[in-house]
Amino acid sequence: VSHDLVDLRDYERAARRSLPRHLFDHVAGGAHDEILVRRNRSAFEALTLRPRYLRDVSERVLATTLLGAEVSLPVFASPAGNKSVVHPDGDAEVARATGRSRTLMIVPARSPEALKHVAKAATGPLWAQITHLGRDNTAELVRAAEALGYLAVCPVVDAPLLHLMERDVALVRRGLTPQAGPPRTTSSMIMQFTWNDLAWLRDITRLPIVLKGVTHPEDARLALERGVSAIFVSNHGARWNDATLSSVESLEEVADAVGGRVEIYLDSGIRRGSDILKAIALGARAVGIGRPLFWGLAESGSDGVHHVLEILRAELDVALAYSGKTSVRDIGPDLVNIPLGWGSAIRRART
Ligand SMILES: Cc1cc2nc3c(=O)[nH]c(=O)nc-3n(C[C@H](O)[C@H](O)[C@H](O)COP(=O)(O)O)c2cc1C
């Protein structure tokens, strides 16, 4: 690992230099004008900390648990398909990295074989992310996940159909496939996971269900009624929708609706240790990273991903001390200043 790479932005810059343009773009890209890609960052920048001093912060605890699994820091690998654009064995390399950093990986479950391959490389906890392509396929993946010791299943709900990002048009022109399956230029592939599918999934497995992509408080409430074990607030790194709130702006309302009954996680825009603190202050138990996994892989495989996680660990540790806190389990809303006009303060349209 190069010592020139000090923070996640260095990793992004290095990936921009080393990867072919269309592959870097595939990872970087978001929907349409990429307003939400920027908003996922600008919202974190607008949220500020409210530190307390004169406290003894000489010892700090970053470890926590995610649905009972112990992790050494509240950061995990979000599920991301198509790692082959940056590394031939990307998912297994990420599993090696999260194992070394003693944290969780959410594995994109593309096939039982893929789940098995990653499980072999892993030394830490794994959850299986399911993209619903029909009940037969999902049931097969869930059975594989159970048999292989995956600790939860994580259906993603925010992409009811597959639509090509505009930056990916360049990939398709080259005959490359930015997403699983054949190249396509139209929104052809339905991947919808509905409330009925959730009830069905609850019936066919005893594994905890983590619902990824929830941003509306009412959806969170309905999900709890249907027995989910955790809510994962995410806008998919702004890759599908370009006209919503950032995920951290959505978090407070969702946390209100959940009322502490289940764990909440967040991703989309996490790049700094202080971002992690801010998300935890607003109700997240832990956060995920997506694109930084690709930058780490592009730089040096599992070593790069491990280093990315260790950078975030070091930044979080310092941010904790500078906030007057000693544990990630002891952070609440008093730690942040919320900009006016956020979340529930947004004026609703007349109904
Ligand atoms: C290249 C790429 C592929 C992704 N593939 C998936 C996927 O297969 N399933 C999924 O649930 N999320 C997927 N995501 C979204 C991530 O899980 C995560 O929500 C997002 O990347 C977080 O935002 P960040 O990139 O700003 O950290 C993907 C993201 C990227 C960048």
Side-chain angles (χ1 to χ4, degrees):
V1 175
S2 163
H3 293 291
D4 295 340
L5 302 173
V6 173
D7 61 24
L8 268 52
R9 262 191 263 182
D10 292 336
Y11 268 89
E12 180 176 17
R13 272 191 290 267
R16 190 191 295 274
R17 279 195 302 270
S18 69
L19 290 174
R21 166 86 189 263
H22 64 287
L23 296 183
F24 178 82
D25 277 357
H26 170 67
V27 173
H32 297 150
D33 300 308
E34 301 184 352
I35 295 165
L36 187 57
V37 172
R38 294 189 293 278
R39 188 168 181 145
N40 277 342
R41 284 302 310 147
S42 61
F44 273 114
E45 288 161 10
L47 198 59
T48 49
L49 294 172
R50 231 172 128 72
R52 301 291 304 276
Y53 301 116
L54 297 109
R55 297 170 169 180
D56 181 0
V57 293
S58 51
E59 283 180 34
R60 298 167 302 284
V61 178
L62 304 190
T64 187
T65 57
L66 305 178
L67 295 179
E70 288 177 14
V71 291
S72 73
L73 80 169
V75 183
F76 56 83
S78 279
N82 252 13
K83 296 209 181 65
S84 59
V85 300
V86 295
H87 195 286
D89 197 18
D91 284 325
E93 288 288 285
V94 170
R96 290 181 189 104
T98 51
R100 276 169 76 194
S101 290
R102 286 170 294 123
T103 190
L104 165 80
M105 174 182 184
I106 308 183
V107 181
R110 292 295 178 267
S111 66
E113 297 72 38
L115 285 173
K116 189 172 178 184
H117 180 66
V118 178
K120 270 194 192 158
T123 54
L126 301 175
W127 298 350
Q129 177 261 312
I130 309 261
T131 300
H132 188 67
L133 302 173
R135 290 189 181 180
D136 290 348
N137 184 250
T138 293
E140 188 188 9
L141 295 171
V142 168
R143 277 194 296 274
E146 288 168 341
L148 291 162
Y150 283 72
L151 299 174
V153 289
C154 177
V156 59
V157 302
D158 60 5
L161 48 82
L162 181 60
H163 183 79
L164 209 58
M165 288 190 311
E166 287 167 21
R167 289 207 209 197
D168 278 344
V169 172
L171 276 161
V172 169
R173 286 211 192 104
R174 287 176 161 82
L176 301 166
T177 54
Q179 304 288 347
R184 53 181 85 69
T185 50
T186 54
S187 48
S188 55
M189 195 174 176
I190 299 294
M191 314 190 290
Q192 192 166 30
F193 184 81
T194 65
W195 293 116
N196 286 339
D197 295 311
L198 178 58
W200 164 81
L201 181 64
R202 187 58 297 164
D203 280 346
I204 67 154
T205 183
R206 300 174 72 115
L207 288 179
I209 297 174
V210 177
L211 215 52
K212 177 170 185 272
V214 172
T215 55
H216 197 294
E218 198 51 34
D219 284 346
R221 259 184 229 110
L222 292 170
L224 290 202
E225 282 172 14
R226 284 158 180 78
V228 306
S229 299
I231 298 285
F232 189 163
V233 176
S234 166
N235 56 36
H236 219 108
R239 288 170 81 77
W240 301 119
N241 217 324
D242 196 27
T244 69
L245 289 177
S246 70
S247 64
V248 74
E249 286 170 289
S250 314
L251 177 58
E252 204 192 1
E253 262 195 318
V254 171
D256 269 354
V258 167
R261 283 173 287 173
V262 298
E263 295 180 3
I264 299 174
Y265 319 116
L266 172 137
D267 77 12
S268 302
I270 296 286
R271 299 293 180 267
R272 286 284 183 188
S274 52
D275 300 335
I276 305 165
L277 270 194
K278 292 171 186 177
I280 294 176
L282 290 178
R285 187 168 181 97
V287 301
I289 51 171
R291 293 179 184 84
L293 303 171
F294 289 80
W295 306 332
L297 282 175
E299 177 62 25
S300 49
S302 87
D303 287 346
V305 177
H306 174 61
H307 189 216
V308 160
L309 288 165
E310 294 310 308
I311 288 171
L312 288 175
R313 184 199 306 279
E315 287 186 359
L316 173 62
D317 186 42
V318 170
L320 203 58
Y322 282 176
S323 300
K325 295 287 183 182
T326 54
S327 169
V328 295
R329 300 287 298 276
D330 173 36
I331 295 173
D334 60 305
L335 190 63
V336 283
N337 304 297
I338 300 171
L340 291 176
W342 268 36
S344 44
I346 287 169
R347 196 175 72 80
R348 299 266 161 252
R350 262 166 296 176
T351 49

